[in-house]
Amino acid sequence: MLILGIETSCDETAAAVVEDGVKCLGSSLATSRELHEKTGGVIPEIAARKQVESIVPVIEDCLEKAGVSLEDIDKLAVTVGPGLIGSLVVGVAAAKSLALATGKPLIPVNHLVGHIYGSWVDAEVLPELPAVVLIVSGGHTDLVLMKNHGDLEYLGGTLDDAAGEAFDKTARLLGIKKYLGGAELSEVASECKVNDLAGKLPRPKINDEDFDFSFSGLKTAVKRLAEESDEDVSCMAREFEDAAVEVLVKKTIRASEQYGVRSILLGGGVAANKELRESLQKESSAGGFALHVPPIHLCTDNAIYIASAAFFNQVEKSLEEIAADPSLGIMD
Ligand code: KG4
Ligand code: ZN
């Protein structure tokens, strides 16, 4: 079965053709990130305008790369949220138009469920369920128990800043100017030779029984540390990264033990973080869990995992529903 997936939840316009949920035949992606770098943050209106410009060329390009035509596609899929509303409606309008014009069914996909399926596409080994999933992105930090496809239980999440947001804000207060400085902070941290600050920052909620996280206090503690200490920026970055990663890993492993799963899945932009990947791999191996981490291009936003998620969660909208519901559920 060929599914054409469309993703436009933020500043990326993406389309992909995926076969049977596991094999990517072709994918295309345009981003307006360069424009947001100039302003230091995403301006929703600008992101939405770029979505309008890019959506048709991106869909055409992905079909060409996959070597298929629209007639070959069995079903359509589109991200319906969460995300920036002005961006989301562009993808939803495009997907609805294609569904109405071709008569093909349309599957609405939740963006966060999409992130989970980065571990299914072109993977050497497919994850065994049940699994505990850690989704860490710029907007979300969630621990989810995945009992089966379509059977997810929310275990906990951030009470304030998302993990990626904490990385980005900490990068800024350490003087790292780059927009979305999370990855850059990690680069800077790798330059710290001897970390004299080890253990100086709190590990928020690390021993709490719940599966929630809190990163805003950690960010404030870095600010204080930066004011009080004359240590290298690289070691402050190292200590922040260590603290954040330690909490994420410890709570993920504890959830996996408590719920008796064999597999752990990682997803979201912060899953690109080397420390997090390595530390979670080490602790997963020690605990006897199989860890599944997507390649970097399937950690950040794309349409490949949207098409895959649609295959494994085929709750279709009929043509009547598509015609009648202008939002397809994005306003829920
Ligand atoms: O999933 P994503 O691409 O977009 C959202 O849906 O939010 O995640 C982007 C987030 C940003 O906060 C970015 O700084 C962070 O992921 N990020 C990283 C790294 N690469 C991306 N954070 C820490 N270390 C990295 N290597
Ligand atoms: Zn995302």
Side-chain angles (χ1 to χ4, degrees):
M1 175 185 293
L2 296 188
I3 296 186
L4 169 63
I6 296 173
E7 151 70 40
T8 65
S9 66
C10 189
D11 54 353
E12 265 106 21
T13 314
V17 178
V18 173
E19 187 176 11
D20 296 335
V22 293
K23 187 164 183 259
C24 178
L25 300 189
S27 127
S28 184
L29 189 142
T31 175
S32 56
R33 188 147 290 188
E34 267 178 36
L35 294 173
H36 308 304
E37 271 165 15
K38 289 188 193 134
T39 47
V42 176
I43 297 182
E45 171 74 5
I46 292 179
R49 277 166 189 261
K50 291 308 281 185
Q51 295 286 3
V52 175
E53 274 175 34
S54 303
I55 188 73
V56 173
V58 160
I59 292 172
E60 283 176 347
D61 184 50
C62 113
L63 289 170
E64 197 182 318
K65 281 185 180 150
V68 299
S69 68
L70 206 47
E71 290 79 63
D72 302 320
I73 299 294
D74 296 296
K75 295 184 183 183
L76 303 154
V78 66
T79 303
V80 292
L84 300 175
I85 191 69
S87 288
L88 285 166
V89 292
V90 177
V92 169
K96 283 184 69 169
S97 309
L98 287 175
L100 289 168
T102 61
K104 295 179 197 292
L106 174 55
I107 304 165
V109 178
N110 176 294
H111 180 80
L112 295 170
V113 175
H115 267 297
I116 297 174
Y117 286 87
S119 292
W120 262 269
V121 185
D122 298 331
E124 275 173 29
V125 184
L126 291 181
E128 272 181 38
L129 298 177
V132 160
V133 189
L134 174 67
I135 304 167
V136 270
S137 75
H140 287 268
T141 302
D142 296 311
L143 261 179
V144 175
L145 174 64
M146 185 177 190
K147 295 174 204 160
N148 211 332
H149 298 289
D151 189 1
L152 307 177
E153 184 184 330
Y154 178 81
L155 301 180
T158 186
L159 303 176
D160 38 59
D161 290 350
E165 193 182 355
F167 266 87
D168 297 340
K169 287 180 177 170
T170 303
R172 213 174 307 146
L173 66 88
L174 288 179
I176 296 165
K177 297 234 162 45
K178 207 160 179 262
Y179 164 62
L180 295 187
E184 187 76 9
L185 181 146
S186 192
E187 286 285 311
V188 170
S190 68
E191 286 159 20
C192 171
K193 300 284 176 286
V194 182
N195 183 11
D196 290 330
L197 297 172
K200 286 270 186 329
L201 286 176
R203 271 61 175 161
K205 295 183 69 53
I206 195 160
N207 291 318
D208 290 6
E209 279 187 10
D210 59 34
F211 294 114
D212 290 329
F213 301 93
S214 170
F215 291 110
S216 78
L218 182 55
K219 179 191 65 195
T220 315
V222 175
K223 190 163 184 277
R224 214 172 305 124
L225 192 64
E227 284 161 2
E228 288 166 5
S229 139
D230 49 12
E231 278 293 331
D232 232 44
V233 165
S234 65
C235 292
M236 283 187 240
R238 158 92 294 129
E239 174 60 3
F240 166 79
E241 188 175 47
D242 284 353
V245 166
E246 224 176 288
V247 178
L248 289 168
V249 170
K250 181 146 186 208
K251 293 197 114 165
T252 304
I253 296 291
R254 199 159 51 70
S256 308
E257 286 165 356
Q258 189 167 317
Y259 287 91
V261 302
R262 301 292 312 279
S263 316
I264 298 176
L265 315 186
L266 185 61
V270 184
N273 184 276
K274 195 165 163 271
E275 280 291 310
L276 177 60
R277 293 165 88 98
E278 288 178 1
S279 173
L280 194 53
Q281 183 59 66
K282 190 164 155 254
E283 296 303 321
S284 297
S285 303
F289 303 108
L291 176 67
H292 298 264
V293 181
I296 306 288
H297 75 284
L298 291 174
C299 291
T300 49
D301 291 350
N302 65 83
I304 303 169
Y305 59 48
I306 297 301
S308 173
F311 176 82
F312 289 104
N313 300 270
Q314 297 188 34
V315 182
E316 297 169 10
K317 292 271 178 177
S318 68
L319 282 183
E320 288 74 23
E321 285 172 303
I322 291 168
D325 175 5
S327 76
L328 258 194
I330 51 178
M331 310 299 272
D332 290 353

